[in-house]
């Protein structure tokens, strides 16, 4: 099961600060907590569905992709024996921001 942060189909999510490593996110901050990425599980590129854009021709948003990274991360200060969560972090180049879009239970 996963929780989507924001309305289904929206490009929004919870804004987070991310420190990027050579392959993707190395750690991120959510609220007061810091999460250390243990493993990059997957990554892909998404574009918003065409029906979410205003009519009237091509839009830069229509072709503006966002990159999603599925990572396994552990809250800093907890032992590796603790449960590590799975998070989908999104880099939206058009908005120049990182967001947390899904948390997998």
């Amino acid at each position: 099961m996963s929780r989507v942060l924001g309305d289904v189909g929206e490009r929004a999510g919870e804004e987070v600060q991310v420190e990027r490593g050579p392959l993707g996110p190395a750690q991120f901050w959510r609220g007061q907590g810091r999460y250390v990425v243990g493993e990059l599980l997957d990554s892909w590129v998404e574009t918003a569905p065409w029906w979410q854009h205003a009519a009237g021709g091509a839009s830069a948003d229509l072709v503006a992709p966002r990159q999603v990274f599925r990572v396994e991360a552990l809250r800093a200060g907890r032992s590796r024996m603790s449960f590590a969560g799975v998070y989908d972090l999104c880099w939206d180049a058009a908005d120049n921001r990182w967001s947390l879009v899904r948390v997998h239970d």
Side-chain angles (χ1 to χ4, degrees):
M1 176 185 262
S2 62
R3 279 182 285 140
V4 176
L5 304 176
D7 291 338
V8 173
E10 278 189 4
R11 293 175 64 98
E14 178 183 332
E15 189 165 354
V16 293
Q17 300 299 315
V18 173
E19 179 182 306
R20 195 166 182 158
L23 300 176
Q27 58 184 341
F28 64 95
W29 287 262
R30 182 180 185 203
Q32 299 296 327
R34 179 173 65 98
Y35 294 78
V36 178
V37 174
E39 186 175 351
L40 174 64
L41 302 174
D42 200 2
S43 66
W44 62 91
V45 175
E46 294 180 347
T47 56
W50 62 268
W51 61 85
Q52 290 183 351
H53 300 283
S59 166
D61 288 339
L62 182 61
V63 294
R66 66 182 190 166
Q67 190 167 14
V68 181
F69 297 89
R70 180 162 292 161
V71 299
E72 182 181 66
L74 184 67
R75 188 164 180 159
R78 295 202 177 162
S79 73
R80 189 68 186 145
M81 299 301 289
S82 297
F83 175 74
V86 176
Y87 305 90
D88 287 354
L89 298 168
C90 173
W91 167 245
D92 191 334
D95 291 338
N96 191 30
R97 75 180 207 122
W98 283 93
S99 55
L100 175 62
V101 292
R102 281 178 215 91
V103 176
H104 301 273
D105 295 334

